[in-house]
Amino acid sequence: MGTEHLQYPGSRLLAVCDVDSGHLRAALDIADPAVQGYRDFREVLDRTDIDIVHIVTPPHWHALISVAAAEAGKDIWCEKPMTRTIGEGIKVVEAVQRNGRIFRVNTWFRFSDDFYGLGMPVKPIKKAVAHGLLGWPLKVTVSGVTGFDWKFFWSGKTFLPPQPVPPELDYEFWLGPAPFKPYHPHRVHTSFRGYWDYDGGGLGDMGMHYLDPVQYLLDKDGTSPVEVEADGPQQHPDACGSWRRVRLRYEDGCEIILDGESRDTEAAFIEGPAGKIFKDFCSDIPGLREKVASLPDPQSEPEDFAEAVRKRRRFALNEENGHRSCTLVNLAKIAVRLGRGLRFDPISQRFVGDEEANRLVDEPMRAPWHF
Amino acid sequence: MKRPALGSELSRLGQFTFVFALLFLGVLSVPGAAEKALSIPVKVSEILARFPAQSPVEKTSLAAEVFGLGEAGIMEICRRLSPPSKADDSLARYALEAAGTYAMRPGGEKGRSLYARAVIKALNGAPDPDVKTFLVGRLQQAGGNESLEPLSHLLSDRRLAEPAVQALLAIRAPDTDKALLKALGHSEEPNTVTLLTAIGELRSREAIGRIIPFASSQDLNIREAGLFALANIGDPRTEFQLSRIDIASSPREKASAAARYLLFARRLFENGRKDDAFRICRSLLEKCTGPEESQVRSAALTLLTQISGKDALQDLVKAMDSPDPAFRARALDLSLEIPGEDATAQWIAKTPEILPEAREQIIRMLGRRADRTALGFITDGLKSDDKAIRIAAIEAAARLAGSNIAVDLTPLWQTADAEDAEALERAFLSFPTEVAVPEVVKAFDGASLSAKAAIIEILGERGAKEHAGIVLAAAGNEDESIRKRALAALKDVVREEDLQQMIRLLQGAAEPSEIVSLQNALAASAQQIDDPEKRADLVIKALLETRGQKRIDLLRPLSRIGGEKALPAVVAETQSADLQVRSVAVYTLANWTEFKAAEELLKIARVEDSTASRKFVYLALRGYIRLVTEFDGQAEQKLAFIRDALAIAREPEEINIILDGLGRIRSGESLSLIARFLENPALQGKAAQSAVECALPSPGFEGLIGFETARILKRASQFIGAEFDREQVEKYAHALLIKEGFVPLFNGKDLIGWKGLVKDPPARARMTLGTLKKEQQAADEDMRRHWQVIDGTLVFDGRGNSLCTAEDYADFELFVDWKIGPQGDSGIYLRGSPQVQIWDPGQWPEGSGGLYNNKVGPAKSLLPADKPVGEWNTFYLRMLGERVTVYLNGSLVVDDAVMENYWERDKPIYPAGQIELQAHSTPLYFKNIYIRELK
């Protein structure tokens, strides 16, 4: 959690919750004196004066707290990646919708800001794609060449001799639904992303930021790829490491390439049979910039969370399309871990004919935690 | 302190290890079958050393090799597992994970059951709970029905029940529920919650009777687990337990009890008891009316709609009477599943009798339903006095009818307030330009102020140059919001012929944001002139006629307009007597896009070098370096340009700019220039960054190679703070060393290539071959007790003997990284002789690296170059004949000095011998040891 998490336009901060009393104290020190501190998120959910919760925990907690918050009648602002597994994502979608809640994932590049190193926002590309200027099917390359860093420094250590749990940390609660493993400081706080039990390395950290806009561009908000394959060094069962390449393919032939070693030095960010778009809106289509300017905008969806909550309107990046973008991340994680090509059914959201992969779709939780 | 004391200690240890080794050999040499039993462990060691696999193909082939060793091989790998407090067993973990994935490949069932059997046997034999947990995890990965029984045995174990249950839930073998029920004792058992929850997950009907008592336990966790299990199983006999939602103590608990009751209802419905499920939904809808129960009502309505399908429409429409907006929103979301004109009519019919907010929601919903019969009702909303309804109607109409509705929206511009205008703007922007632009232009004159501002934005967004006149006129409007938006839109609509007017407007503007907008528009207009050399003409003319601030405003856009004439005009301004004009002129020049400005910038930097303020030097150098690095030329050419800048740069921030530039020129010469700054404490961090950028592969660049590159990168890596980045640089540098003929002495995984220390060279020479062999075996045993490989590092525990290379070396170059603690003491023996010194620079200020045992020649290092204790140091050693050169952390500390013979003072150093990492009773760390023999 960072200091920016203490300020929200259109709402007032009432409570903060952390299983590390040191972190909790640090937050309370800079928050309004009226703000209350908690160790157990369920006590926050008990408060009837709280409308919205922001889930800023490591990803292995996202789904559990989201579902509990939805059942407690709270609206939800959830950090990326939305959920650690595909199965957890399905549960969040159901719970949020069933209970009539407003949900947003905290990434925004589909509707605002320059899209990382691409040097331009997503909207003009969306217009070009939607009006067929590039043709169909499309191939998107997310790599250093097109402006995206896969952050392999989020790697775990393969040897963690147990160390005493610091008194300020409730490690049991921190682990929550994750399997018990002896404490080592590298598992928690600023380095947890390097472990499969809690996240998924750079894929977990950046995947939704990078891939949600791609899903939007390809018009795949309601579906998932049918194939995924990965190349890279073997992954440790506990610690995430680097990988070289992941390829996701949709039923209609659209492809997403995650190029971890920036191998395709000539890669366009997005290309179809009729044209390509590179960084900084460079393209092989003459006059693309002007052509795109004259095209109609895509339908706009609510981009102001406080307003969406007040008006009970579904946020632009919500539980449903958020789950589908997070599924891209989770598919890539599983392919990288298994190292074999996989087929996926976007309707049942299970792998076809691969039991090991399906065991990673729904990973059992440690009691007493369950949905 | 040094050698003599160690000598006696050494022989004492030698005797001890000798005795121990005899005993050990005695045990091993008894059975004749030992050789056969040893062959699997040896093979396993050999396979493990090749993990982790570097690709999926290699992972498969290594795993296939593991399977080639059969059950015994897999069990042997399992035996190599260790609790994390004891040793680094990551290779075994990699291997078992790979084997599990291989076993689970589609069509690999035979191998899978072999794998599972081996893991189960190992599980039964493993003493440590952490190791057992890892093995249970392998069954979670690859176990099948055969795992049910062995996992069931763990269900009463406090520590292992949880992983075992997780594995069982992943495997889902038949009768898993029976095994769990058998383990479920009474509520005092530590694993009750785990077992109850799992039984619930499995929806075991047979379990009902056993669960019911737990559902009323005094223990909250047990009670909730029991109730969850009952709900998820969904047996009608347990409705009594689940229906009592009012006894909850807090709103959240009540809501979660209701959620459980609804889960129960959902399961009833799935089990064919539609009426019961429906009744529960109804009762909750009637009962849960409080303001804190919105989500319960929504969830009940959701299930009710799932049960009733289209027949739920009445309930959904009725939900519009609720004062709860979230509940209404849920009903409207659900209604999207019920299509048809009849439904549309019912929704419209409902609207007169409900709250305006509910009507607004219905309008939005109708906009998302593909039924055009709603359009009449929606367009009625356009005329509503209620603004929220009007805006909802604008959005819904545009969504449902597209640009066909433009004509109906156009009249709204006349009276639109800011929010109406915003909604209209979004609507028109979603229409094709050929509809949107003519319609808004038609409306412009009669439009409200807010509407005018919005229309101007639309013209800008669409680049409607043919209507530039409207925007230009608005740029002079008294109303600030209109003027601001018009100025911002100008850059998108101005034409070549508007340039004169842009200059005029810019000269009249005073407000900073307006000036910036106009400078953008002026540049956009000038850039449209066909002849690049004519683009700047009008601006230069105006510039020469203007003074003061206005002159500055005209100066800045020139860097974007460019051209032969523009450059001298700006250069002339860099001589201005007005300091502010001069400053902006240098700034403008520094942002120039054409390379020809570089020469001028260098001149400025040279001239200003003599003046007091270095601000202009900095600005000029920044622009110069940018242009040079963007310049389309050879590396040598660019470097020549950069050397000119280097002659001027003095301050760290100036050199930083140059280092940035050098990083982008990928050549060995560039890297050498950078390397110079690695020894400057104020610049070494930046220099390291630049060295990495210069030398490492990046998109389109394969990376620099060669010994020099490796040496510089190894030095640079010492100034890279982020561990991961540092490791990448080291990895690359070491790969280069190998390409240059270096060989790793340490493989980062085990002690292959090393041996224990037997006495000293003269003593060894006196031994018979048989004695030496025996002593060596004892020394090797001792070595394995005190030297370990942890996480790619050789770690000495401070209690044993020196570590020696298995081979002898004559002339060579050697890289070795080392680390000591406070009072740490060690050294590198060359040709079996002491030593290149390593010790705590806090105690010995002369520092490490000296030839400590020299009596005649120099024995001390030339200068202290140690890192503080606890940090890694790098030695580069070269031994040629009797002479030794040592670099410590990039500094020369021994310069081609003769190394004397410690063992036999009257003789020169031996011609060849083993290299030793000296043990001296303190913990030590070594890694990255690379040697190249010189022949």
Side-chain angles (χ1 to χ4, degrees):
Chain A
M1 183 166 122
T3 48
E4 70 271 26
H5 292 132
L6 295 177
Q7 291 147 8
Y8 302 88
S11 55
R12 192 157 53 88
L13 184 68
L14 295 177
V16 287
C17 178
D18 202 313
V19 297
D20 184 308
S21 61
H23 290 193
L24 183 60
R25 204 174 325 111
L28 291 173
D29 281 349
I30 54 170
D32 186 276
V35 172
Q36 291 249 357
Y38 296 88
R39 189 187 64 99
D40 187 332
F41 69 93
R42 290 167 294 195
E43 290 173 33
V44 178
L45 298 182
D46 273 332
R47 277 180 61 167
T48 54
D49 59 339
I50 285 177
D51 300 314
I52 303 169
V53 294
H54 186 176
I55 303 169
V56 199
T57 62
H60 66 289
W61 269 110
H62 287 179
L64 266 177
I65 301 180
S66 290
V67 170
E71 287 187 346
K74 312 299 183 198
D75 296 319
I76 298 150
W77 183 321
C78 183
E79 278 304 315
K80 47 80 202 173
M82 180 170 143
T83 61
R84 201 185 65 88
T85 68
I86 294 168
E88 289 173 5
I90 296 171
K91 295 288 187 191
V92 172
V93 172
E94 285 171 0
V96 165
Q97 298 190 345
R98 183 169 69 233
N99 291 291
R101 298 296 102 196
I102 306 295
F103 182 97
R104 83 162 284 186
V105 185
N106 200 27
T107 175
W108 52 87
F109 296 94
R110 67 159 64 203
F111 54 78
S112 77
D113 288 9
D114 275 359
F115 189 24
Y116 288 94
L118 197 61
M120 61 180 298
V122 166
K123 188 163 119 181
I125 308 179
K126 175 71 177 171
K127 288 164 72 173
V129 167
H131 293 90
L133 300 190
L134 306 181
W136 205 268
L138 295 158
K139 179 174 126 182
V140 174
T141 302
V142 184
S143 77
V145 176
T146 56
F148 304 89
D149 174 3
W150 281 108
K151 298 200 176 173
F152 291 121
F153 58 78
W154 291 126
S155 288
K157 294 182 186 293
T158 56
F159 177 58
L160 300 175
Q163 295 194 18
V165 180
E168 67 274 13
L169 176 66
D170 186 342
Y171 182 56
E172 267 295 326
F173 211 148
W174 188 93
L175 284 173
F180 177 82
K181 287 187 181 152
Y183 175 79
H184 184 285
H186 205 256
R187 286 195 177 280
V188 301
H189 296 348
T190 56
S191 38
F192 66 81
R193 290 200 193 280
Y195 300 89
W196 298 116
D197 281 351
Y198 324 119
D199 198 354
L203 275 172
D205 183 31
M206 302 314 286
M208 279 198 82
H209 276 325
Y210 295 171
L211 297 179
D212 177 67
V214 173
Q215 175 179 286
Y216 170 69
L217 285 173
L218 299 178
D219 201 18
K220 303 294 183 203
D221 273 345
T223 187
S224 294
V226 294
E227 271 174 31
V228 57
E229 60 184 18
D231 176 40
Q234 182 192 355
Q235 300 295 315
H236 187 269
D238 189 29
C240 315
S242 69
W243 42 267
R244 288 186 287 269
R245 197 177 179 83
V246 179
R247 176 177 159 277
L248 298 140
R249 197 184 70 83
Y250 288 94
E251 177 94 74
D252 64 355
C254 284
E255 276 186 7
I256 308 174
I257 306 291
L258 319 183
D259 180 354
E261 48 177 6
S262 299
R263 195 179 72 195
D264 301 341
T265 53
E266 306 293 315
F269 168 67
I270 184 165
E271 63 176 282
K276 305 174 178 184
I277 298 176
F278 300 85
K279 269 168 92 164
D280 301 319
F281 218 175
C282 296
S283 173
D284 57 350
I285 301 173
L288 181 68
R289 211 179 277 258
E290 290 70 31
K291 272 185 200 158
V292 163
S294 69
L295 292 171
D297 284 1
Q299 288 293 347
S300 70
E301 302 293 344
E303 297 163 16
D304 174 337
F305 186 64
E307 177 71 6
V309 164
R310 264 192 296 274
K311 290 274 188 182
R312 309 312 300 174
R313 295 182 63 189
R314 195 181 253 207
F315 191 75
L317 177 48
N318 50 59
E319 70 287 351
E320 202 159 332
N321 50 19
H323 164 60
R324 290 292 182 173
S325 355
C326 197
T327 296
L328 296 173
V329 175
N330 286 322
L331 288 175
K333 274 161 53 182
I334 293 173
V336 162
R337 288 179 76 174
L338 266 55
R340 64 172 163 252
L342 301 166
R343 293 202 301 126
F344 189 71
D345 176 351
I347 295 167
S348 69
Q349 303 190 61
R350 313 275 302 169
F351 290 94
V352 182
D354 198 307
E355 169 68 10
E356 186 185 10
N358 276 330
R359 288 185 188 179
L360 297 172
V361 169
D362 286 304
E363 285 186 72
M365 291 180 173
R366 200 162 64 108
W369 303 106
H370 64 88
F371 290 118
Chain B
M1 177 91 207
K2 301 306 300 175
R3 282 296 322 166
L6 191 66
S8 56
E9 196 179 292
L10 200 144
S11 54
R12 207 161 20 86
L13 273 174
Q15 281 164 12
F16 173 75
T17 49
F18 182 70
V19 172
F20 183 87
L22 279 181
L23 288 173
F24 195 71
L25 280 173
V27 173
L28 265 188
S29 58
V30 176
E35 213 178 321
K36 201 182 165 201
L38 276 175
S39 68
I40 287 228
V42 169
K43 283 182 193 158
V44 160
S45 296
E46 192 275 322
I47 295 176
L48 285 186
R50 286 184 279 143
F51 275 101
Q54 287 309 303
S55 69
V57 173
E58 202 190 344
K59 182 177 170 184
T60 306
S61 70
L62 280 176
E65 283 191 54
V66 168
F67 274 87
L69 301 180
E71 191 180 286
I74 296 168
M75 285 183 66
E76 172 61 23
I77 300 176
C78 294
R79 271 195 289 275
R80 305 285 176 100
L81 293 169
S82 141
S85 56
K86 292 261 166 58
D88 183 353
D89 63 350
S90 38
L91 297 181
R93 291 185 185 227
Y94 273 117
L96 289 169
E97 192 272 348
T101 299
Y102 182 76
M104 288 294 274
R105 74 196 187 283
E109 175 54 30
K110 230 170 122 187
R112 194 208 60 73
S113 62
L114 172 94
Y115 178 80
R117 273 201 315 273
V119 170
I120 289 164
K121 279 191 189 165
L123 179 63
N124 293 334
D128 179 82
D130 281 315
V131 169
K132 275 188 187 299
T133 302
F134 180 78
L135 289 169
V136 170
R138 303 295 46 83
L139 294 179
Q140 182 167 339
Q141 179 189 7
N145 295 347
E146 76 289 322
S147 306
L148 173 60
E149 200 240 308
L151 287 171
S152 302
H153 293 316
L154 305 177
L155 293 176
S156 52
D157 183 298
R158 183 182 284 267
R159 173 84 194 273
L160 295 167
E162 185 58 50
V165 162
Q166 287 172 29
L168 287 171
L169 286 178
I171 297 166
R172 304 235 166 184
D175 295 335
T176 301
D177 56 336
K178 292 197 181 76
L180 294 170
L181 270 176
K182 204 173 140 205
L184 185 69
H186 46 85
S187 54
E188 272 80 53
E189 298 261 336
N191 303 321
T192 307
V193 172
T194 302
L195 293 166
L196 277 174
T197 309
I199 292 165
E201 293 282 0
L202 292 170
R203 301 190 203 169
S204 165
R205 287 284 200 111
E206 295 171 37
I208 298 281
R210 293 286 305 284
I211 300 170
I212 287 177
F214 294 104
S216 53
S217 165
Q218 294 301 304
D219 181 309
L220 177 71
N221 277 335
I222 292 175
R223 190 169 71 239
E224 296 228 317
L227 286 167
F228 158 73
L230 291 182
N232 205 37
I233 293 163
D235 186 299
R237 289 168 295 175
T238 57
E239 183 168 350
F240 171 72
Q241 281 83 357
L242 292 158
S243 63
R244 295 179 304 161
I245 62 172
D246 287 324
I247 57 170
S249 59
S250 78
R252 184 187 60 84
E253 277 173 32
K254 187 176 173 193
S256 92
R260 227 164 18 222
Y261 195 20
L262 279 167
L263 170 64
F264 173 73
R266 200 154 78 221
R267 297 291 177 241
L268 289 179
F269 171 54
E270 288 164 3
N271 296 340
R273 304 187 76 96
K274 190 174 153 175
D275 293 346
D276 287 336
F278 191 86
R279 170 179 51 75
I280 293 171
C281 293
R282 272 254 177 280
S283 82
L284 283 172
L285 277 169
E286 279 159 23
K287 209 149 87 183
C288 297
T289 52
E292 306 308 330
E293 292 166 309
S294 168
Q295 76 280 24
V296 178
R297 292 192 290 278
S298 290
L301 188 64
T302 302
L303 182 56
L304 188 138
T305 307
Q306 277 164 4
I307 295 168
S308 315
K310 277 185 351 192
D311 297 338
L313 185 63
Q314 288 317 311
D315 288 285
L316 299 179
V317 171
K318 193 165 156 278
M320 295 305 107
D321 295 325
S322 164
D324 172 8
F327 181 58
R328 295 195 306 261
R330 182 65 194 138
L332 290 165
D333 258 355
L334 289 165
S335 78
L336 291 172
E337 300 294 317
I338 305 174
E341 294 176 12
D342 181 44
T344 308
Q346 291 197 45
W347 285 110
I348 294 170
K350 182 70 179 174
T351 50
E353 51 189 276
I354 56 176
L355 292 168
E357 301 87 74
R359 216 175 306 150
E360 177 197 340
Q361 287 176 301
I362 291 177
I363 290 171
R364 285 191 199 280
M365 181 275 288
L366 291 173
R368 287 179 187 268
R369 258 164 112 261
D371 178 9
R372 297 280 290 258
T373 62
L375 200 56
F377 168 72
I378 292 171
T379 47
D380 283 347
L382 296 174
K383 294 174 215 106
S384 170
D385 295 333
D386 184 320
K387 184 158 75 182
I389 288 187
R390 231 164 37 227
I391 289 171
I394 292 169
E395 290 181 9
R399 195 180 282 272
L400 188 58
S403 61
N404 293 327
I405 207 74
V407 187
D408 298 84
L409 296 181
T410 298
L412 296 178
W413 287 115
Q414 291 176 22
T415 52
D417 69 6
E419 287 167 76
D420 287 317
E422 208 183 300
L424 285 167
E425 186 181 337
R426 272 201 306 274
F428 276 91
L429 281 174
S430 74
F431 301 153
T433 302
E434 59 273 22
V435 178
V437 168
E439 279 296 325
V440 298
V441 166
K442 204 165 71 191
F444 186 79
D445 284 336
S448 69
L449 283 182
S450 298
K452 282 199 161 103
I455 288 172
I456 284 162
E457 235 166 37
I458 294 172
L459 294 177
E461 278 274 318
R462 290 285 168 268
K465 288 198 160 93
E466 67 279 20
H467 300 294
I470 296 178
V471 183
L472 274 166
N477 199 297
E478 295 158 17
D479 181 84
E480 198 193 331
S481 77
I482 293 184
R483 194 171 66 242
K484 281 250 155 85
R485 297 216 213 175
L487 286 166
L490 270 179
K491 67 174 192 320
D492 299 312
V493 298
V494 283
R495 300 147 302 185
E496 178 184 335
E497 60 264 36
D498 299 319
L499 183 57
Q500 194 63 59
Q501 199 179 346
M502 289 305 104
I503 293 171
R504 235 188 350 265
L505 284 171
L506 180 56
Q507 287 178 317
E511 211 263 316
S513 75
E514 298 192 356
I515 289 173
V516 171
S517 294
L518 283 161
Q519 285 171 330
N520 292 339
L522 181 145
S525 167
Q527 279 157 359
Q528 292 172 51
I529 297 173
D530 276 336
D531 182 353
E533 292 313 321
K534 289 199 174 135
R535 287 177 189 163
D537 286 356
L538 282 176
V539 185
I540 294 170
K541 186 164 167 278
L543 183 76
L544 296 175
E545 291 164 0
T546 323
R547 288 279 158 269
Q549 180 61 43
K550 294 293 112 193
R551 194 166 173 127
I552 291 172
D553 293 344
L554 285 166
L555 203 49
R556 284 180 190 264
L558 278 175
S559 66
R560 275 179 280 167
I561 299 170
E564 293 288 346
K565 281 175 255 169
L567 185 62
V570 179
V571 170
E573 298 300 310
T574 64
Q575 313 295 317
S576 170
D578 182 334
L579 194 67
Q580 213 190 340
V581 171
R582 214 166 98 203
S583 162
V584 171
V586 174
Y587 181 84
T588 305
L589 213 53
N591 286 323
W592 212 260
T593 50
E594 297 147 305
F595 181 68
K596 57 185 190 234
E599 199 182 326
E600 300 295 341
L601 285 163
L602 190 64
K603 257 191 246 167
I604 291 169
R606 275 199 189 119
V607 171
E608 299 287 351
D609 192 18
S610 54
T611 65
S613 156
R614 295 197 66 87
K615 185 181 117 187
F616 291 153
V617 178
Y618 175 79
L619 270 180
L621 284 178
R622 201 182 60 185
Y624 178 77
I625 296 292
R626 179 180 56 79
L627 288 169
V628 167
T629 50
E630 287 169 2
F631 174 63
D632 188 21
Q634 297 296 314
E636 301 91 83
Q637 224 175 337
K638 292 185 183 187
L639 279 175
F641 288 131
I642 290 206
R643 281 211 177 83
D644 289 338
L646 210 44
I648 298 165
R650 267 207 321 260
E651 301 297 323
E653 61 267 28
E654 294 162 10
I655 298 173
N656 276 341
I657 296 171
I658 293 175
L659 284 170
D660 260 337
L662 285 171
R664 272 172 268 154
I665 301 172
R666 273 93 188 202
S667 77
E669 213 184 326
S670 176
L671 186 64
S672 306
L673 274 178
I674 294 168
R676 280 201 234 156
F677 297 97
L678 285 172
E679 305 314 321
N680 179 334
L683 295 164
Q684 52 201 184
K686 182 73 197 179
Q689 256 177 23
S690 293
V692 169
E693 199 189 350
C694 176
L696 255 60
S698 52
F701 173 61
E702 288 182 349
L704 294 180
I705 54 170
F707 175 79
E708 243 339 75
T709 303
R711 189 190 64 77
I712 294 170
L713 285 176
K714 273 186 76 69
R715 177 65 178 145
S717 72
Q718 293 188 307
F719 307 110
I720 298 171
E723 188 183 346
F724 180 82
D725 295 343
R726 187 170 59 242
E727 281 171 4
Q728 298 302 306
V729 175
E730 288 179 344
K731 215 161 107 185
Y732 184 70
H734 296 142
L736 289 188
L737 286 181
I738 287 169
K739 267 192 204 151
E740 293 299 314
F742 279 80
V743 177
L745 284 180
F746 167 49
N747 65 13
K749 292 173 179 175
D750 54 35
L751 293 171
I752 287 175
W754 298 91
K755 63 184 178 189
L757 178 63
V758 179
K759 303 240 165 55
D760 53 56
R764 287 199 297 273
R766 286 192 296 272
M767 289 179 191
T768 65
L769 228 63
T771 315
L772 182 60
K773 197 177 166 196
K774 253 201 274 177
E775 293 248 356
Q776 189 62 57
Q777 277 175 340
D780 290 352
E781 283 305 323
D782 182 64
M783 164 184 83
R784 279 188 276 278
R785 274 195 298 277
H786 301 289
W787 289 86
Q788 270 195 309
V789 180
I790 295 178
D791 216 9
T793 300
L794 268 173
V795 181
F796 175 60
D797 65 6
R799 290 194 300 277
N801 235 321
S802 299
L803 185 68
C804 317
T805 56
E807 305 290 327
D808 284 356
Y809 297 91
D811 292 344
F812 58 86
E813 294 167 279
L814 179 77
F815 278 102
V816 53
D817 292 350
W818 53 270
K819 184 169 83 171
I820 54 174
Q823 278 112 55
D825 198 318
S826 179
I828 311 287
Y829 281 31
L830 307 177
R831 302 188 189 156
S833 304
Q835 86 203 16
V836 176
Q837 182 61 11
I838 290 175
W839 54 14
D840 179 351
Q843 287 183 295
W844 307 95
E846 66 194 82
S848 302
L851 302 179
Y852 178 81
N853 294 97
N854 273 5
K855 293 268 193 248
V856 183
K860 288 187 174 181
S861 60
L862 295 172
L863 56 104
D866 297 66
K867 294 266 193 178
V869 290
E871 290 183 29
W872 284 100
N873 293 272
T874 296
F875 267 152
Y876 164 72
L877 314 173
R878 190 174 59 230
M879 185 163 205
L880 203 56
E882 296 173 47
R883 291 182 175 272
V884 172
T885 297
V886 180
Y887 281 84
L888 171 55
N889 299 325
S891 297
L892 181 68
V893 293
V894 174
D895 188 6
D896 207 27
V898 169
M899 186 170 181
E900 296 161 21
N901 189 330
Y902 169 81
W903 308 111
E904 297 173 80
R905 286 281 174 197
D906 53 337
K907 289 184 183 165
I909 192 85
Y910 305 121
Q914 60 202 29
I915 295 167
E916 299 175 19
L917 310 177
Q918 186 204 14
H920 199 140
S921 320
T922 59
L924 305 169
Y925 307 86
F926 294 92
K927 64 178 181 183
N928 303 327
I929 311 175
Y930 292 86
I931 194 164
R932 177 163 70 176
E933 292 186 76
L934 302 168
K935 282 173 184 145

